[in-house]
Amino acid sequence: MSIVSVPAVDVPRGRTRTVRVALAGCGVVGGSLVRLIRSGHAEVAARHRIRFELVRVLVRDRHRPRDPTLPHEVLTDDADDFLAAESDLVVEAIGGIQPALRIARAALESGRRYVTANKALVAAYGPRLAALARRRGGRLDFESSVGGGIPVVRALRDSLGLAGIRGVQGVLNGTTNFILTRMAEGRPYAGALAAARAEGFAEADPIRDLDGTDAAEKISILAWLAFGVRPDTLPIRRRGIVPHAERLVRDARALGGAMRLVAECVRTSDGVVASVEPAILQLGSELASIQDEQNLVIVDTERNGRIRLAGPGAGGDPTASALLGDMVRSSLRLRSGAGAVKRAATRDPRTSRWAVSVEGHHEERLRAALRMAGISAAPVRRSGGTGLVVTEPVAWQSIADSIARLEAWGAEPVVSRYEMV
Ligand SMILES: NC(=O)c1ccc[n+]([C@@H]2O[C@H](COP(=O)([O-])OP(=O)(O)OC[C@H]3O[C@@H](n4cnc5c(N)ncnc54)[C@H](OP(=O)(O)O)[C@@H]3O)[C@@H](O)[C@H]2O)c1
């Protein structure tokens, strides 16, 4: 019997290159990245013949004690000093628009490669930064900005580019999914939010997660990659789980389904439409089965069927591992680009069934508002004296008109997309 030895990794020939890295931000994600660069250096060198050298780390407060520790001369709290450092690659894990945008522009303007975890920045300025990178011979990578450690950006940008993407749908926010999972187990909203904070899945101020802003930024980035629509021009119908999380979960339970915050972008005959909204899903369905802080992205394609990518959507280590993947890739000088430019639709032509509920004494108003919009709806029996109906399939605009009318009448309607079969 002959024994064939197979190397564990495909080791490229040649000398190890040093890539000088300037890292902006050393918090949850940046700190994990520093640890990963240190612990993974042998594997990166063996696989790719690259050695990352941290030449500068930008933070807000350089005197604060840090774990991981960094040499005094590497840390700076001065963005000019940070940008002046000679580097090949700038990595950003600060978040928000400024000073991240200034750093991105300066880095790309000078022809350097730029890797970011910042979804707010990519959603607002991604195409302009990508164009700047192309003009100056640099590169923009942002895998970790959507789905944490799930390689969805790469899948859309490269692998599925020619698969004829029809739509992308997913649970993209780990904080809300964790809260909804705990609430389905019977915890009240406040307790579920406290548990999310205790586990590190909710920030001190989690409003951008709870009101759907975070998921909207992510789906706009995915729409850009899937359809070429500029994310800052894509109108997104956005509703989060606040302020009526308890009522949303109660409605889902009354209808025998599971509540999830679903983000999606879809190609229609009118253009690309996108939404982030609470949806009541069949128990056991793909999206309903995603628990806790996990994320799931489903890409519906003409030629490859439905592709599913699931995994931890946030957290320092998964996000840092996606950043490191981008850093390696960026250093290997591979090229790729977003798909052909398509237009965003001005209205959403798709129809859905909607679960609409109001508190008990507004029941008659609910029926009247739907009747005035010409929408027929079936009442749902349940305890608690709350009016709950499920409508026939209608476009969002019809429901939006009814909601506006109900709100003007002083009712506080709660609306979920009804996805039960
Ligand atoms: N956390 C996650 O699970 C996760 C997942 C995916 C993507 N992301 C994205 O990753 C990015 C970073 O998130 P994070 O959770 O690591 O945030 P974080 O823990 O708050 O860390 C932010 C870092 O940026 C520094 N910083 C903030 N403002 C600054 C300023 N004006 N000038 C210089 N430095 C500044 C902070 O300095 P100090 O240390 O001195 O305060 C800190 O080191 C965000 O874009 C976020 O959306 C996060």
Side-chain angles (χ1 to χ4, degrees), residues 3-49:
I3 297 173
V4 181
S5 100
V6 181
V9 287
D10 185 12
V11 181
R13 290 170 191 281
R15 285 192 23 230
T16 300
R17 249 177 339 117
T18 296
V19 175
R20 296 163 303 174
V21 178
L23 168 64
C26 194
V28 174
V29 173
S32 288
L33 181 64
V34 172
R35 277 188 285 272
L36 189 57
I37 289 173
R38 287 176 179 167
S39 64
H41 74 275
E43 192 178 355
V44 171
R47 274 181 181 265
H48 306 292
R49 289 276 180 256

Side-chain angles (χ1 to χ4, degrees), residues 35-252:
R35 277 188 285 272
L36 189 57
I37 289 173
R38 287 176 179 167
S39 64
H41 74 275
E43 192 178 355
V44 171
R47 274 181 181 265
H48 306 292
R49 289 276 180 256
I50 293 170
R51 188 179 84 85
F52 290 118
E53 181 192 357
L54 273 178
V55 292
R56 208 60 106 242
V57 176
L58 176 68
V59 290
R60 192 167 21 204
D61 177 5
R62 62 196 281 264
H63 301 294
R64 197 159 68 75
R66 297 189 176 272
D67 176 20
T69 55
L70 288 158
H72 178 70
E73 64 280 9
V74 165
L75 270 178
T76 182
D77 51 17
D78 177 348
D80 292 321
D81 174 50
F82 174 80
L83 286 166
E86 286 200 9
S87 63
D88 308 296
L89 183 61
V90 176
V91 181
E92 185 256 316
I94 290 184
I97 299 299
Q98 290 295 3
L101 178 60
R102 188 179 151 229
I103 293 167
R105 280 190 172 137
L108 292 169
E109 198 69 63
S110 64
R112 281 178 279 183
R113 290 125 207 259
Y114 192 74
V115 171
T116 181
N118 187 337
K119 70 212 91 162
L121 182 74
V122 178
Y125 293 96
R128 279 173 272 183
L129 294 175
L132 178 58
R134 277 195 297 276
R135 275 202 307 281
R136 294 292 184 179
R139 213 192 129 90
L140 171 72
D141 284 287
F142 47 90
E143 180 65 70
S144 50
S145 66
V146 185
I150 307 174
V152 59
V153 168
R154 190 153 307 153
L156 287 176
R157 197 150 100 157
D158 303 341
S159 318
L160 298 174
L162 298 173
I165 298 171
R166 282 194 281 246
V168 182
Q169 188 185 45
V171 167
L172 298 181
N173 184 267
T175 309
T176 45
N177 210 57
F178 184 92
I179 291 171
L180 292 173
T181 307
R182 291 288 93 79
M183 290 178 74
E185 293 163 2
R187 280 236 196 170
Y189 170 69
L193 175 57
R197 282 207 176 100
E199 299 264 350
F201 298 132
E203 295 173 22
D205 179 7
I207 188 64
R208 289 169 56 80
D209 296 306
L210 303 177
D211 73 3
T213 303
D214 175 86
E217 285 171 349
K218 290 169 176 168
I219 200 69
S220 73
I221 294 171
L222 298 185
W224 173 34
L225 297 168
F227 304 118
V229 179
R230 267 182 53 172
D232 55 323
T233 63
L234 178 66
I236 299 177
R237 182 169 79 234
R238 172 177 64 83
R239 292 180 298 121
I241 64 165
V242 286
H244 295 301
E246 305 252 355
R247 284 177 56 191
L248 288 169
V249 171
R250 214 186 322 145
D251 288 353

